[in-house]
Amino acid sequence: MPILLLPMMALLLLGVAGGAWRLGADWLPLTHTGLVYHGALMVNGFFATLISCERCVAHGRGWAWLVPASGLLASASLWWRPELAPALYGLLAAGMTILSWQLWRRQPQDFTLLLVLACGALLLANLDWWRQGAVGAATERGWLVFLVLTIAAERLELSRLLPKPRWAKRVFMGLALGLLAAPWLPLGHLWLGAALVGLALWLLRFDIARKTIKSRGLPRYVAACLLAGYGWLGLSGLLWLGGGGDMALHGVMLGFVMAMVFGHAPVIAPALLKIQCHYHWLLYLPLALLQLGLLARHDWPRLSAQLTSLAILGFVLTFVGVQLAGYLQRRQEVR
């Protein structure tokens, strides 16, 4: 796993830089490939490959690591044989679907079923890209559904212990299935918007973040990330209902997904790397920059690109720095 982190961090850097270039912030020299395939690098190259590593750890079989390896191979092909990338990313999605299905068979729960469906959405989106020969609206929406359903499944799992009315889970699954179908339905942006608004309201009402925001330290920080993300998810849903557009898409991809990354990283990364997690209030700074960058996106796109890029890269550096400082301090205490 640690060996794969370096190329995935490089893909994250290229993906973030590609998005910044599109808004006029040319802070990293890029090839044409990095600009054209910004979305593919972020969703498939970074997120899907990283999530597949998590599935490999849960699966426990050595052959499973061929799945993230196919994701890295697909990303590399964008530079030398880009016409192969959709099919190779399709293999990544197919492998993730198989791994998730096998995990569902071990633990047949609603949240594990959602993980299978999320990977199925990614597979359909990448097949649509391969069939069309270009990234179209259905592909982008399928990528969005993959990320939202994956995060929603994790939140459903973590909310199991909270008391809820019987209808709450049925509503959640209905919204998830509606979201899954939205990219390929007529007037799909309306279905997508309605499902996103519904999920945001459900999460704001039933997620444990409502309780942990009143605590201190790491639990409060995680809750702040989650609640900010749910707010952007709901706002983006309203924008999709109004016709979609750049802000509707990036409100989900940046406002929701990245806020979830900021909040889940202190929990998931230590589990994957088998290290103790350390917390510092400095982690709030990238979260604040992310909010400011999104708010500036419509009127000041270049400033928005600089702020959101700084937020993402700043989070990575801050998180690594906090873990390293905490580790060194712990070693000194042991001595």
Side-chain angles (χ1 to χ4, degrees), residues 5 46 59 71 76 106 153 161 164 194 222 295 313 321 332 335:
L5 282 178
F46 178 69
H59 193 273
R106 292 185 196 173
L161 301 179
K164 292 184 290 292
V222 173
L295 291 172
L313 300 179
Q332 290 179 351
R335 290 177 180 177

Side-chain angles (χ1 to χ4, degrees), residues 125-182:
N126 288 337
L127 289 178
D128 182 75
W129 176 16
W130 174 68
R131 182 176 63 87
Q132 298 283 353
V135 176
T139 301
E140 287 187 339
R141 293 173 188 175
W143 288 347
L144 180 151
V145 168
F146 158 66
L147 292 172
V148 172
L149 280 185
T150 299
I151 295 168
E154 293 180 352
R155 299 316 305 169
L156 181 63
E157 178 185 8
L158 293 173
S159 70
R160 285 182 302 166
L161 301 179
L162 292 178
K164 292 184 290 292
R166 291 184 178 181
W167 54 263
K169 185 179 289 188
R170 298 193 198 102
V171 169
F172 187 95
M173 295 302 292
L175 290 168
L177 292 175
L179 183 64
L180 182 67

